[in-house]
Amino acid sequence: MTSRVHPEQGFAHDIGAPKDRYATSKVVRVGSALETAIKWITEVPAALLLVAEVVLLLTNVTCRYVLHDPLIWGDELASILFIWLSMLGAVVALRRGEHMRLTMFVARMSPQSRAFAETLGNFIVMTFVLLLVRPATEWAMDEWIISTPALDLPNTVSAAAIPVAAGLMLVLAITRLLERSSLRDCVKALALVGGVAVALYLARQALAPLTAASLILFFAVGVVTIICLGVPIMVAFGVCTFAYLATVTGAPLSIVVSTMNQGMSSLILLAVPLFILLGALMEAMGLAEAMIRFLASLIGHKRGGLAYVLIGAMYLVSGISGSKVADMAALAPGLFPEMKKRGANEGDLVAMLSSSAAMSETIPPSLVLITIGSVTGVSIAALFTGGFMPAVVGAVALAAVVWFKSRGEILQGVQRASRAQIGRAFLVSLPALALPFVIRAAVVEGIATATEVATIGVAYTCAAGLLLYRRFDWSRLYPILVESASLSGAILIIIGCAAAMGWALTQSGFSAQLASLMMAAPGGALGFLAISAITFVVLGSFLEGIPAIVLFGPLLFPIARAMGISDVHYAMVVVFAMGLGLFAPPLGLGFYAACAVSKVDPSTAMRRVWPYLGALAVALIVIVLVPWVSTGFLQAK
């Protein structure tokens, strides 16, 4: 908006005359108007699409399980709506600045350097969408001759979502330049991006035969450099994949688009926006608060009691929201004020919050587990079954640290809840407590799919919140729908771009080389697990779980399988390791998210988080060495 443009950063700095300043402000107003238009033409349809998905899927579930007459066209329509929801959500996330990205390095730059980095980032986004628009349009037009089996609609109806969203992203990137960037920075950024493009074009003959050097240049140097500039991770994956294919291979760029669509459109992934919506509704309708109050009434009077409540509450709600930030935001306000009254250091509070979030990464219905099932073919029910015990090991490790640190806690004035108070809190929380267990049991026992269970969970939460807790503010509904669509789009487009990047890596022969290298590692299966754990700790610190899994899961899971390692055991190792990396400073994005939720300076918490992370590292070693922790419940079944 206009208020975001500082006089020293706008075009007026480069032009100077009053007449030119007037022209500049007019340009800024044009950019602001365009952004406002994009806001309404994306947010409202995305919110309506999310509601339509819930209604459609709930109707289909009712017809299938109650009337025993499923809608033949239901899944097909849900798939069409889903790709539009994903792409519009991605545009919303870009406008709101909610795409996954690494901002640590940009935040440490001077204001002038940061302004140039933002301008350069916008040019890179423009490059990505410009590379995407033409092949996406051609691919969508080619899909016209193919019709859907049930509705008899041309595939272009769903395929058009990608070029439409790409066009909106292009306009949005241009508006950001109009609103925020100086003419000098625009010229420098254009020259830099154009220079790189020309250099790649001139070097294409030399790069083509150099497979290893090309892979390092595009997928190591290129991706890491772009990510460190604070550009959304999905753009880094996408633009480097386009650049690699255009420079080194003769493959048509439409392959990137079709692979993106294939990676994003799986109906398994429809559980992603539904679980995100479910988690937001649980917090807004009071279900999460009811859980916390019951747990606090049980053990809140003991030394370290509220810390144990934090660990237990995170175990209960984890994964349902689809966002660790949402999980932490739901728990911190209900616990931190009372913990501070008892003398807890705010750095310790952040350390406990971030480490408990890391501990709970394997707890179903974790979106990372759903993603693993989608990209590797591993049973989601088996992953959900195996996810409970690794988190228990992590929770026990954290509880040991809490016990040690809270031995001297002063409990003066803290009263133990009476049996009547505990019983009342239990009755109030019972509808909320039942939901996580019902969701997980239904998927694990194979009663319903993750998508169906998420749909039922949304309906159940709305009924419980409106009829029992009666605290929902209807003015929050639209923001919840938009936020859910935005987060869903940010996650799903990363999956699409990472799928395209993974295809390029596979075609280059990298997969075969990686398999040979990993299988030759010393120590056999145990050595492979150890290397994988360390690798995913590093990957988790700057890529987050879903991008890392989509990119490396299809490459590494077959290797693990060939070495006799259970898919579920391997999944638990890599997911727990990624959680540890995600919340480990100085790179872990989750750690800084915990600091933001708690409104605490990261430097205050950084020196206090290491005992908790050390405990989780011990838990990871146990998970690696003892396969039963991951597969014991599977064997019992």
Side-chain angles (χ1 to χ4, degrees):
M1 302 301 177
T2 305
S3 61
R4 295 175 184 169
V5 181
H6 191 278
E8 294 183 359
Q9 296 177 0
F11 289 105
H13 177 78
D14 299 292
I15 302 173
K19 182 179 179 180
D20 292 331
R21 285 199 297 270
Y22 173 76
T24 299
S25 64
K26 188 175 181 179
V27 169
V28 171
R29 286 199 300 271
V30 170
S32 179
L34 284 172
E35 184 169 344
T36 302
I38 290 175
K39 172 184 177 181
W40 291 112
I41 65 178
T42 55
E43 285 189 358
V44 174
L48 293 175
L49 283 170
L50 185 53
V51 173
E53 286 282 26
V54 172
V55 172
L56 174 61
L57 291 170
L58 188 60
T59 302
N60 203 13
V61 167
T62 303
C63 292
R64 177 174 293 146
Y65 292 103
V66 179
L67 303 179
H68 305 291
D69 185 20
L71 301 176
I72 298 176
W73 47 267
D75 287 347
E76 190 172 287
L77 180 58
S79 180
I80 294 172
L81 298 180
F82 177 47
I83 189 66
W84 277 97
L85 171 62
S86 302
M87 294 310 301
L88 289 178
V91 179
V92 173
L94 185 63
R95 192 194 66 78
R96 292 159 61 102
E98 293 178 348
H99 276 286
M100 297 179 188
R101 59 196 187 108
L102 181 65
T103 59
M104 181 181 68
F105 298 107
V106 175
R108 295 181 179 180
M109 295 179 180
S110 65
Q112 292 80 7
S113 298
R114 188 160 56 247
F116 174 70
E118 182 178 354
T119 301
L120 179 60
N122 276 319
F123 269 95
I124 295 174
V125 172
M126 288 175 61
T127 301
F128 168 62
V129 292
L130 281 171
L131 289 169
L132 180 62
V133 165
R134 181 175 176 179
T137 303
E138 293 175 351
W139 174 73
M141 293 175 65
D142 291 342
E143 291 292 301
W144 185 265
I145 61 174
I146 304 173
S147 299
T148 60
L151 296 173
D152 196 29
L153 294 173
N155 274 357
T156 302
V157 173
S158 60
I162 296 179
V164 168
L168 291 172
M169 288 182 185
L170 178 60
V171 175
L172 191 57
I174 294 172
T175 63
R176 292 297 166 85
L177 293 175
L178 294 176
E179 290 181 300
R180 304 181 182 184
S181 299
S182 70
L183 182 58
R184 181 184 297 113
D185 283 347
C186 287
V187 172
K188 288 164 58 179
L190 179 60
L192 181 57
V193 173
V196 171
V198 170
L200 291 177
Y201 178 78
L202 296 176
R204 66 190 188 282
Q205 298 295 336
L207 287 173
L210 302 176
T211 304
S214 300
L215 291 175
I216 293 172
L217 176 64
F218 288 99
F219 297 122
V221 176
V223 169
V224 171
T225 300
I226 293 174
I227 288 175
C228 289
L229 286 172
V231 178
I233 293 173
M234 63 96 176
V235 173
F237 286 176
V239 76
C240 289
T241 302
F242 272 122
Y244 174 77
L245 293 179
T247 304
V248 178
T249 75
L253 298 184
S254 59
I255 290 179
V256 176
V257 184
S258 61
T259 308
M260 282 180 60
N261 180 74
Q262 185 179 0
M264 296 170 58
S265 59
S266 170
L267 273 180
I268 295 174
L269 294 176
L270 185 51
V272 171
L274 296 177
F275 275 121
I276 291 173
L277 177 62
L278 174 58
L281 291 174
M282 284 184 64
E283 187 276 328
M285 293 191 170
L287 275 71
E289 183 179 335
M291 292 181 193
I292 293 173
R293 287 182 177 177
F294 169 62
L295 293 174
S297 70
L298 282 177
I299 58 175
H301 60 282
K302 297 181 178 295
R303 287 189 173 90
L306 294 182
Y308 298 134
V309 170
L310 176 61
I311 296 172
M314 186 65 77
Y315 196 103
L316 285 175
V317 306
S318 179
I320 294 178
S321 72
S323 166
K324 283 300 171 187
V325 176
D327 293 343
M328 294 186 291
L331 300 182
L335 286 171
F336 280 14
E338 182 61 29
M339 295 173 80
K340 288 180 180 178
K341 287 181 183 178
R342 298 188 185 187
N345 179 277
E346 62 180 11
D348 261 333
L349 296 182
V350 175
M352 285 186 283
L353 181 67
S354 62
S355 57
S356 63
M359 165 274 297
S360 58
E361 280 286 274
T362 66
I363 299 174
S366 165
L367 297 187
V368 179
L369 296 184
I370 295 173
T371 305
I372 288 176
S374 173
V375 302
T376 67
V378 181
S379 165
I380 292 179
L383 292 170
F384 276 22
T385 302
F388 290 108
M389 280 303 295
V392 168
V393 174
V396 170
L398 292 180
V401 177
V402 170
W403 173 85
F404 183 82
K405 294 176 72 71
S406 63
R407 290 174 300 165
E409 183 180 1
I410 299 175
L411 298 176
Q412 185 177 0
V414 177
Q415 295 183 350
R416 180 173 184 170
S418 65
R419 291 184 178 179
Q421 290 173 322
I422 295 174
R424 192 179 306 113
F426 173 71
L427 289 175
V428 171
S429 68
L430 189 57
L433 289 171
L435 179 59
F437 291 102
V438 170
I439 287 174
R440 289 154 182 161
V443 178
V444 168
E445 296 299 325
I447 298 173
T449 66
T451 302
E452 292 169 341
V453 170
T455 307
I456 296 169
V458 169
Y460 174 92
T461 300
C462 290
L466 296 175
L467 299 178
L468 300 177
Y469 296 104
R470 299 182 181 181
R471 52 163 290 178
F472 183 64
D473 181 0
W474 282 98
S475 65
R476 296 187 62 184
L477 180 59
Y478 179 73
I480 284 174
L481 291 172
V482 173
E483 289 167 9
S484 300
S486 174
L487 180 57
S488 302
I491 291 172
L492 292 165
I493 197 169
I494 278 187
I495 292 176
C497 291
M501 185 172 168
W503 180 89
L505 287 171
T506 301
Q507 296 303 309
S508 71
F510 174 76
S511 299
Q513 295 173 13
L514 179 65
S516 301
L517 181 64
M518 297 289 277
M519 294 186 74
L526 185 59
F528 176 73
L529 283 170
I531 293 172
S532 297
I534 295 171
T535 300
F536 278 96
V537 167
V538 176
L539 290 173
S541 66
F542 65 92
L543 273 185
E544 297 199 56
I546 290 175
I549 278 296
V550 176
L551 194 55
F552 292 99
L555 304 179
L556 296 180
F557 271 77
I559 301 173
R561 203 173 295 132
M563 300 186 77
I565 301 170
S566 163
D567 286 336
V568 175
H569 180 207
Y570 189 66
M572 295 308 123
V573 170
V574 300
V575 172
F576 199 96
M578 284 188 299
L580 182 57
L582 179 61
F583 289 89
L587 290 178
L589 302 178
F591 172 77
Y592 296 103
C595 293
V597 167
S598 309
K599 299 179 181 178
V600 173
D601 189 325
S603 61
T604 304
M606 195 172 294
R607 61 178 179 270
R608 294 180 176 271
V609 76
W610 298 111
Y612 299 97
L613 294 180
L616 291 180
V618 173
L620 176 59
I621 293 172
V622 172
I623 295 168
V624 169
L625 295 177
V626 186
W628 182 91
V629 172
S630 304
T631 62
F633 286 174
L634 291 174
Q635 296 168 357
K637 293 177 67 175

